[in-house]
Amino acid sequence: MSTHCRRLPVARVLPSPRGLVTPLLLAAMLASRGSGADDRPLPRWIGASVIAPRFHLRKEVRLPEGVTSARLRVAPDLARVECRINGRVSFVIEPFAPWVDVDVTSEFRPGDNELWLVCERLYDQSAVLAELTIRLHDGRTQTFPTDRTWTSSSAAQPPEDASGWQTPAVRGEVPRHLWDVGNRSLDITPFDDYEQWRDALGGESSRPQRFLLPDDFQIDTLRVAGAEEGSWVSCEFDPQGRLLVAREDQGLLRMTFAADGRSIERVEPVPAAAELKEIRGMAFLGTTLYLNANNSKGFYRLGDADGDGEFDEATLIREFPGSVGHGRNDLAAYNGMIYSIHGDAVDVPTEAIRDLTSPFREARRGMKTSEGCLLKYDPGENEWTLIAAGLRNPFGVAVHPRDGTLFTYDADAEHDMGAPWYRPTRIIELQPGADFGWRGVTGQWPPYYPDHADNALPVMDIGKGSPTAVRFGDRSHFPSPYRQALFVLDWAYGRVLAVHLLRQGRGYTGRAEVFLRGRPLNVTDLTFGAEGALYLVTGGRKTQSALYRVRYTGSEPPGELAPPVQVSSTSNARSHLHPSRAPGRPADPPPPPAVDALHAHLLSHGASRMPQSLWGDPRELTAWRNALERALTNPAECSQFAELILEPPSNAAGLDEQLHALLALARQGDAAIRPRLLQRLNQHATPDLSTTQTLLLLRAYALVLADVTDLDPALLAETRAKLSALYPDSRPRTFTPLGLGGPINHRLAELLVHLGDPDVIPKTLSLLRASTAQEDRLHYLFVLRNVADGWTLDQRREWFAELNALERDYWGGAGMPAFLKSLRADAVATLTSEERTALGTIREPSAAMDDEPLPVRPLVREWTLADLEWLASTESGEGDAAVGRELFRAALCSRCHRCGREGTPVGPDLTGVGSRFSRVDLLKSLLDPSAVVAEPYRNVEIVTTDGRHLVGRVLTSGDYRARTLRLQTDPLRPSQVVEIPKQEIEVHQESQTSPMPAGLLNTLTADEIRDLLAFLQSGGW
């Protein structure tokens, strides 16, 4: 059976109790979902024609009324970029950070705007890609890509006169697939069903009937598993072209194709593998098959001594103790070696193995850890090597066909979703010696933070998902860019993703798209046949399995396997900064250098780079620090190096390397040098460091200060003063290779609470008050929860009020309710009896707002803008902000909005609207809230399979994996919720009607409206 791609489902139109859902409405909703086609012009790499350390790029943008969203995408190439909008710094991107996509809606205004990108070079040919996308209320889109219409300047101070600006140097167009143009988005929404795999428990009838594929691709169903064939978890072609398919329970099936290759003519068991349980990984070296049998807890070999295609008896090569959930996963063969990847349920091997990771890791120091790892097996020498660790549950492993770089797709901890310690599923380059930070302690309290500045970095975040196998498309007959792509499988959401990789310094970064999707399509493994088609098997958890083939049916020839994509003309810079790896073999980390070589490196490193201290490639520095830490295991060399780094000469270059060296000494844990190390860290504790450097510094502080009992009180006081002077960090939001720079304040808050700083409570509450991101709010509540002393009663009230607000409106995984409950219990335990009495019921979980009676206010007038235009004048428009604060509550604004300390941030935060909008603009929004509705706060319209038409706000509180969608239909009565099974949702679209009810000002007098405007313009303070 063959199925061509169908971009939109066939809809049914049925009557609803609320009336008829018209075919016109349904057609419009289907059309709004789009097909992914996009013909807009692509941005071009632009820079300055004159070589200078810094250059400026400028674009003047004139916007109409009715902007609902503004997003700015920026991709620097070997540069640091500062984005300024209308003279204000919006955000910063540090070198080697991922490309960013930022919501800047609140920073643009109707009329004339000016966008600047201020760029510091890493190399002469450094350049930038950018695109501003504006969406209007009527659905139109405007884009402003980087091109020749921008202007540039290399002057230290750019000219004020427009005539002093020049046409930028243009260096080519970004490839369409790297800019996500025409690609299907990775976004997972509340409408997506994480539990859709359960739909595959219904036997053969539960297979998907619709697939989404790119144009000119076709999917064929080759076989559906019979009841006696079990559920399937992995597959691989043997040298004879037969497909081996592993059963979830035990054993291996061999499928022989018909002569025309279009069907399976014979399925038979493989006797040699009959006793092996849940074979998750298979890889051939010649005619020998290597297997990871997860439930047999071992790595096996099946030989074929006489070459007849029949395997000899299975041989156990090595046992791998542990449990079996996140277990012994996939295998990959490359250059005579076998690479085996494990999840965090398997014990990390420490005996009879060469370990490339740092000797300062817990596992190397004899501590039992729960972490996934990558192993290499050399059959010729019968030797094992631990390549990398700190993974959660990476199911697949793939080797880049050109340079031997190893990749995986690692799982998230969905239990922790919504918390500051959560990290999404992600693509990882398995750098030799790397530790990616995961330790399997999810669900515990207090939680474990898996990300630190001394961890290796991912290639890119994917988001929600359930990773299984990964494989490069180099053996496919697909056109570019798919033949160069890394294909990864998402079991839960039934997706095959294509990850497009590009070199970034020593390593890679990437962009990804959905290549194939079905429901249910619980994909477990993939491989490519000799003819170049993609083969997929589905199964797992005893679900119905099937074998599919994806073929390219277009006319474009297969894509040539070109070198890794160079994102601009800076390939010479990349080879200059990072000597290329030997092709055909994954690189080992460098050997531990001698101390004198390390010291020489500190003196000279960065001499060929400009402007030096900001441009450290994180993967290069991670490899360098790993080599350093292996050298520091020698006590004599460790002592010698400590003397060199703790008393550095004044001409030492390479600030990044100095910080990594200090971090290495902190990880080494020598108590004798801790006081001097702390003094050296204090010398670096200045606001002049970059965000990445500050995060490195704070990680070293955290390690040194883990135990303060034996440190001099005067030194601790000096350290506390140094850190307090940095808190709060007020620099603009910064994107770094380590992630968003907001964690600087997270780490400072933790350290200052630990050190007992007297100012940490008011400073942290101030950050909490100003935060709109749930992860930030939860973190500040978390770090203050155990502080017993130094509170005022008002501060206590504010902390519990913020927790109550978060409990009313949160999103997250299954762990979030328990996290919030533990927060409250820990905080209540620190209260005195007097505080308990004074706080009363606010320290208890808040009642639903529906329990609060709505205020009854008489109708004053149905106001229009013409009635109130006089409020915009300076003379009559001042008002009483204190009275306005009370009206903010009385008019029910505080139920959905925050302004200063008032309200709940369900809808847009109004704290800063007074600085961005005039009184006339505010009046327009209050009187006609549906005129312009910001995209993140729109209601949704839903048509169900039984014809119901529903409108409301999607609630994300509770476990996002639930099979029902919760819709709040009345914003003034939040507990009025309709639950809709996700499988019954036929189509959905954003509503053009604001969730904010019209007429809320009609119960206020003109003077009261003036007072409310005064309060909004005051920012609520």
Side-chain angles (χ1 to χ4, degrees):
M1 180 181 69
S2 297
T3 306
H4 286 275
C5 70
R6 288 158 66 179
R7 295 195 180 276
L8 295 174
V10 176
R12 292 184 293 158
V13 182
L14 297 174
S16 160
R18 297 177 58 178
L20 289 177
V21 181
T22 68
L24 182 61
L25 169 64
L26 194 53
M29 294 175 74
L30 287 169
S32 72
R33 298 173 63 157
S35 65
D38 196 331
D39 298 324
R40 70 183 188 270
L42 290 164
R44 296 176 177 269
W45 293 101
I46 64 173
S49 55
V50 178
I51 304 299
R54 172 181 293 203
F55 61 92
H56 307 260
L57 301 170
R58 186 182 69 165
K59 178 68 175 178
E60 295 180 350
V61 179
R62 184 170 183 81
L63 298 180
E65 298 277 354
V67 172
T68 62
S69 78
R71 300 201 68 89
L72 180 61
R73 297 182 63 193
V74 183
D77 187 17
L78 299 181
R80 176 186 186 272
V81 176
E82 181 179 278
C83 173
R84 300 178 184 173
I85 300 173
N86 294 324
R88 176 182 171 274
V89 178
S90 175
F91 59 87
V92 173
I93 310 172
E94 291 192 350
F96 303 102
W99 297 3
V100 305
D101 186 345
V102 184
D103 186 341
V104 290
T105 309
S106 63
E107 300 175 57
F108 282 91
R109 60 193 178 221
D112 294 329
N113 296 266
E114 195 171 62
L115 170 61
W116 278 28
L117 301 177
V118 182
C119 309
E120 294 182 50
R121 298 177 187 268
L122 171 55
Y123 187 69
D124 289 349
Q125 301 300 314
S126 296
V128 181
L129 282 172
E131 182 179 56
L132 174 65
T133 302
I134 302 294
R135 294 192 182 277
L136 303 177
H137 182 59
D138 59 9
R140 290 180 297 137
T141 298
Q142 296 181 0
T143 60
F144 302 88
T146 45
D147 56 20
R148 294 183 185 276
T149 65
W150 290 56
T151 55
S152 71
S153 170
S154 294
Q157 295 295 327
E160 296 184 5
D161 187 350
S163 62
W165 290 78
Q166 303 168 337
T167 301
V170 179
R171 301 197 178 94
E173 193 174 72
V174 64
R176 184 170 292 268
H177 65 278
L178 292 178
W179 205 243
D180 303 338
V181 174
N183 297 349
R184 280 156 298 282
S185 170
L186 296 181
D187 292 344
I188 295 295
T189 75
F191 292 88
D192 291 298
D193 187 357
Y194 181 91
E195 298 286 328
Q196 63 184 291
W197 65 269
R198 296 184 183 278
D199 295 342
L201 291 169
E204 182 176 346
S205 63
S206 63
R207 293 183 297 106
Q209 302 301 310
R210 296 191 296 255
F211 299 89
L212 288 176
L213 270 168
D215 291 333
D216 298 324
F217 282 86
Q218 180 172 300
I219 186 166
D220 310 318
T221 303
L222 298 183
R223 184 173 182 84
V224 178
E228 73 287 354
E229 293 174 348
S231 192
W232 302 339
V233 293
S234 63
C235 64
E236 184 61 270
F237 279 100
D238 70 9
Q240 291 77 28
R242 300 169 298 186
L243 187 67
L244 301 177
V245 176
R247 294 169 54 120
E248 184 180 28
D249 46 13
Q250 67 183 62
L252 199 58
L253 302 176
R254 181 163 50 214
M255 299 185 181
T256 303
F257 286 76
D260 61 5
R262 295 181 180 179
S263 61
I264 304 295
E265 69 174 15
R266 185 170 70 255
V267 178
E268 58 189 337
V270 176
E275 302 302 318
L276 300 185
K277 299 176 181 179
E278 196 191 15
I279 300 169
R280 291 187 178 180
M282 292 186 279
F284 277 95
L285 282 179
T287 59
T288 301
L289 176 63
Y290 292 88
L291 304 169
N292 256 348
N294 180 48
N295 281 350
S296 297
K297 298 187 179 182
F299 176 75
Y300 292 81
R301 178 178 61 238
L302 295 184
D304 180 9
D306 54 11
D308 63 355
E310 295 297 330
F311 293 114
D312 307 324
E313 184 179 351
T315 301
L316 174 65
I317 298 175
R318 180 163 182 161
E319 292 186 27
F320 287 98
S323 56
V324 296
H326 298 174
R328 301 136 202 88
N329 294 329
D330 211 353
L331 301 174
Y334 186 75
N335 201 28
M337 304 291 168
I338 296 292
Y339 294 90
S340 176
I341 201 156
H342 292 176
D344 63 9
V346 183
D347 296 343
V348 177
T350 57
E351 297 179 0
I353 193 164
R354 178 188 175 214
D355 194 337
L356 302 184
T357 65
S358 168
F360 302 152
R361 287 173 22 86
E362 303 98 308
R364 293 285 295 274
R365 293 181 167 183
M367 301 168 60
K368 181 175 173 58
T369 60
S370 296
E371 54 181 310
C373 65
L374 174 71
L375 305 169
K376 179 176 73 176
Y377 176 64
D378 182 343
E381 302 295 332
N382 193 31
E383 290 180 350
W384 290 87
T385 302
L386 177 62
I387 301 284
L391 303 164
R392 183 174 187 260
N393 187 28
F395 194 95
V397 58
V399 187
H400 196 292
R402 189 166 192 88
D403 63 13
T405 305
L406 296 147
F407 291 88
T408 191
Y409 177 26
D410 200 9
D412 61 351
E414 62 271 14
H415 183 276
D416 298 345
M417 187 164 291
W421 47 90
Y422 169 79
R423 66 183 184 190
T425 70
R426 51 200 202 152
I427 305 299
I428 288 177
E429 175 188 333
L430 293 159
Q431 183 179 351
D435 180 353
F436 293 94
W438 175 259
R439 304 293 185 269
V441 292
T442 187
Q444 295 187 17
W445 184 265
Y448 169 76
Y449 285 87
D451 292 316
H452 305 291
D454 48 355
N455 295 151
L457 302 175
V459 170
M460 66 173 295
D461 288 341
I462 294 294
K464 298 174 185 175
S466 182
T468 48
V470 303
R471 186 146 329 196
F472 277 95
D474 56 296
R475 289 170 45 202
S476 74
H477 66 353
F478 296 171
S480 294
Y482 294 117
R483 191 162 184 243
Q484 289 81 32
L486 173 67
F487 289 91
V488 306
L489 306 186
D490 175 4
W491 181 84
Y493 290 108
R495 304 186 299 174
V496 179
L497 311 180
V499 181
H500 307 292
L501 298 168
L502 59 154
R503 288 301 294 266
Q504 187 183 55
R506 180 185 176 98
Y508 287 86
T509 187
R511 311 295 298 174
E513 63 170 302
V514 176
F515 174 77
L516 166 66
R517 188 165 192 175
R519 176 187 175 132
L521 191 69
N522 42 319
V523 280
T524 54
D525 203 2
L526 78 164
T527 189
F528 289 90
E531 84 290 14
L534 168 62
Y535 290 80
L536 294 163
V537 292
T538 62
R541 298 195 186 179
K542 301 182 180 180
T543 55
Q544 174 65 53
S545 288
L547 170 66
Y548 299 95
R549 177 176 56 198
V550 178
R551 297 179 292 126
Y552 177 65
T553 58
S555 58
E556 186 176 343
E560 291 299 320
L561 193 61
V565 176
Q566 301 294 329
V567 295
S568 73
S569 58
T570 53
S571 57
N572 289 336
R574 297 171 198 283
S575 60
H576 173 65
L577 294 175
H578 309 284
S580 60
R581 311 173 189 195
R585 188 177 183 89
D588 278 356
V595 167
D596 55 354
L598 288 168
H599 189 227
H601 183 84
L602 281 174
L603 290 174
S604 64
H605 196 62
S608 63
R609 303 188 298 193
M610 66 181 219
Q612 300 197 6
S613 64
L614 291 178
W615 310 118
D617 182 331
R619 289 183 176 86
E620 177 188 17
L621 288 164
T622 296
W624 181 82
R625 196 190 68 245
N626 181 274
L628 169 60
E629 291 178 2
R630 288 186 288 132
L632 294 181
T633 56
N634 183 309
E637 292 202 348
C638 181
S639 177
Q640 183 184 356
F641 185 75
E643 292 299 321
L644 292 171
I645 194 62
L646 295 178
E647 297 292 340
S650 58
N651 64 341
L655 180 56
D656 293 318
E657 287 81 358
Q658 290 187 51
L659 291 170
H660 273 274
L662 292 170
L663 182 53
L665 287 175
R667 283 164 57 87
Q668 190 263 353
D670 185 352
I673 65 171
R674 285 175 64 227
R676 294 175 61 202
L677 183 52
L678 195 53
Q679 291 171 341
R680 190 75 185 98
L681 294 175
N682 286 344
Q683 293 172 10
H684 280 299
T686 72
D688 299 329
L689 298 180
S690 73
T691 299
T692 297
Q693 291 165 347
T694 303
L695 291 169
L696 287 166
L697 179 76
L698 297 179
R699 175 59 176 160
Y701 267 120
L703 292 169
V704 174
L705 295 170
D707 181 6
V708 298
T709 56
D710 59 345
L711 291 172
D712 177 51
L715 179 57
L716 287 175
E718 176 193 340
T719 302
R720 184 169 57 243
K722 284 281 188 179
L723 294 174
S724 186
L726 299 177
Y727 186 62
D729 180 74
S730 58
R731 72 188 81 190
R733 52 185 166 172
T734 304
F735 298 88
T736 79
L738 307 178
L740 187 62
I744 285 182
N745 280 327
H746 289 198
R747 305 289 85 81
L748 282 168
E750 293 166 353
L751 287 167
L752 289 168
V753 165
H754 181 59
L755 293 173
D757 180 60
D759 296 325
V760 71
I761 292 174
K763 288 181 177 180
T764 306
L765 285 176
S766 178
L767 289 171
L768 172 61
R769 199 179 303 131
S771 298
T772 56
Q774 175 178 298
E775 294 84 353
D776 292 335
R777 296 167 64 200
L778 185 58
H779 178 83
Y780 296 130
L781 289 167
F782 170 70
V783 295
L784 291 179
R785 78 196 191 286
N786 284 332
V787 178
D789 302 319
W791 295 85
T792 68
L793 199 56
D794 284 343
Q795 288 170 343
R796 287 287 199 188
R797 285 195 182 96
E798 184 172 1
W799 189 95
F800 281 102
E802 291 288 349
L803 178 60
N804 290 340
L806 186 60
E807 284 182 327
R808 284 197 299 266
D809 190 73
Y810 72 85
W811 68 277
M816 187 59 64
F819 292 150
L820 296 175
K821 183 178 180 180
S822 294
L823 270 177
R824 186 180 301 277
D826 287 352
V828 168
T830 68
L831 299 176
T832 65
S833 57
E834 292 80 5
E835 287 174 325
R836 291 173 185 250
T837 300
L839 292 174
T841 59
I842 195 172
R843 61 185 172 85
E844 303 297 334
S846 58
M849 282 191 287
D850 286 25
D851 296 338
E852 304 171 14
L854 292 176
V856 178
R857 295 179 58 86
L859 176 67
V860 174
R861 182 174 177 176
E862 294 186 359
W863 295 105
T864 66
L865 183 61
D867 298 329
L868 299 170
E869 282 183 329
W870 63 275
L871 289 175
S873 67
T874 303
E875 297 76 23
S876 61
E878 295 179 358
D880 188 331
V883 174
R885 182 189 304 274
E886 299 303 318
L887 293 168
F888 187 72
R889 301 190 198 107
L892 305 179
C893 307
S894 61
R895 290 210 167 187
C896 297
H897 300 279
R898 169 179 279 174
C899 186
R901 298 187 183 186
E902 297 292 335
T904 302
V906 175
D909 191 310
L910 303 181
T911 303
V913 293
S915 62
R916 301 195 308 270
F917 300 102
S918 67
R919 288 201 170 195
V920 170
D921 291 331
L922 291 175
L923 277 171
K924 288 180 180 178
S925 296
L926 293 170
L927 291 168
D928 187 6
S930 293
V932 178
V933 185
E935 288 187 359
Y937 303 105
R938 289 182 173 180
N939 277 338
V940 296
E941 297 180 58
I942 294 171
V943 177
T944 64
T945 54
D946 61 1
R948 289 180 295 161
H949 179 207
L950 302 167
V951 179
R953 172 175 171 262
V954 175
L955 294 178
T956 52
S957 56
D959 189 351
Y960 80 96
R961 296 170 297 178
R963 305 212 72 187
T964 57
L965 185 82
R966 302 174 68 237
L967 197 69
Q968 185 185 84
T969 55
D970 185 345
L972 299 182
R973 297 188 181 277
S975 65
Q976 292 190 3
V977 174
V978 176
E979 294 196 357
I980 312 163
K982 292 179 181 179
Q983 62 185 1
E984 295 180 8
I985 297 174
E986 186 74 24
V987 286
H988 61 89
Q989 73 167 8
E990 290 180 342
S991 172
Q992 301 301 310
T993 303
S994 172
M996 176 178 169
L1000 288 181
L1001 294 187
N1002 293 342
T1003 64
L1004 304 182
T1005 66
D1007 287 340
E1008 288 175 327
I1009 295 173
R1010 179 189 60 186
D1011 295 337
L1012 177 61
L1013 291 173
F1015 171 70
L1016 294 175
Q1017 291 194 304
S1018 74
W1021 306 115

